[in-house]
Amino acid sequence: MKAEAWLFSGVAVFFAVTGGIYTWFSNDPAGVAALAVSFLMSALIAAFLWRQFGRGGYRPEDRKGAQVREAADRRFSFPARSYAPAVSAAGTALVGLGVVQGLWLALIGFGVLVPGIFGFVFRSGEGSS
C-alpha cells in the first residue's frame, strides 16, 4: 500500500498547489471549488492508504523477494463466482446515466445497485480467509 499511498499523496499535493495558483490568478469560484474538492478527495484516499499501510505493513506486492503463494492469504478477496463487483458497477453506471438522462433511469440504477451492495456486505465466506 505504500506505493499507492505515495501516489495519492502526490496527487493531493498537485491539486493543492494547482488550486492555490488558480485561486490567486482567477476569479472563477467554480474552478476553485472543483480543485478544492479534488484535493480533499485525493487527500482522503491518501490518508486511508497511509493508515492501512501503518496497520498492515508491507504487502507481498510491495516486496521484491515475495513469493506468489504469500498473496494467497488475502482478507479482502472475493470468490471467483462473486456477482457483487459487476452488479455494483452496472448499477453505478446506470445511476450516473440517470443523473443526465432522467430520474427513471436513476431509479432503475438504484434497483440494480442495491443487490450489488448487499453482495459486498453479506458475501459468503467461501474463497476468503
Side-chain angles (χ1 to χ4, degrees):
M1 296 260 181
K2 192 171 185 180
E4 294 92 344
W6 277 112
L7 176 72
F8 278 99
S9 297
V11 170
V13 168
F14 169 78
F15 280 127
V17 170
T18 305
I21 293 171
Y22 190 82
T23 303
W24 184 263
F25 288 109
S26 174
N27 284 335
D28 180 25
V32 171
L35 288 169
V37 168
S38 298
F39 162 72
L40 290 173
M41 295 190 99
S42 58
L44 178 69
I45 294 170
F48 170 77
L49 291 171
W50 280 113
R51 182 170 184 259
Q52 289 299 102
F53 174 71
R55 292 172 74 195
Y58 287 100
R59 297 176 303 171
E61 293 89 349
D62 296 331
R63 292 181 280 129
K64 289 186 180 192
Q67 299 292 323
V68 174
R69 66 177 178 263
E70 293 179 41
D73 185 30
R74 288 283 172 97
R75 294 200 180 270
F76 300 110
S77 63
F78 286 90
R81 293 185 219 132
S82 177
Y83 65 89
V87 172
S88 298
T92 304
L94 286 173
V95 169
L97 284 172
V99 170
V100 176
Q101 298 297 327
L103 178 63
W104 64 273
L105 191 57
L107 291 175
I108 292 171
F110 279 118
V112 173
L113 183 61
V114 167
I117 292 173
F118 274 101
F120 275 120
V121 174
F122 299 113
R123 67 186 171 114
S124 65
E126 71 180 63
S128 63
S129 52

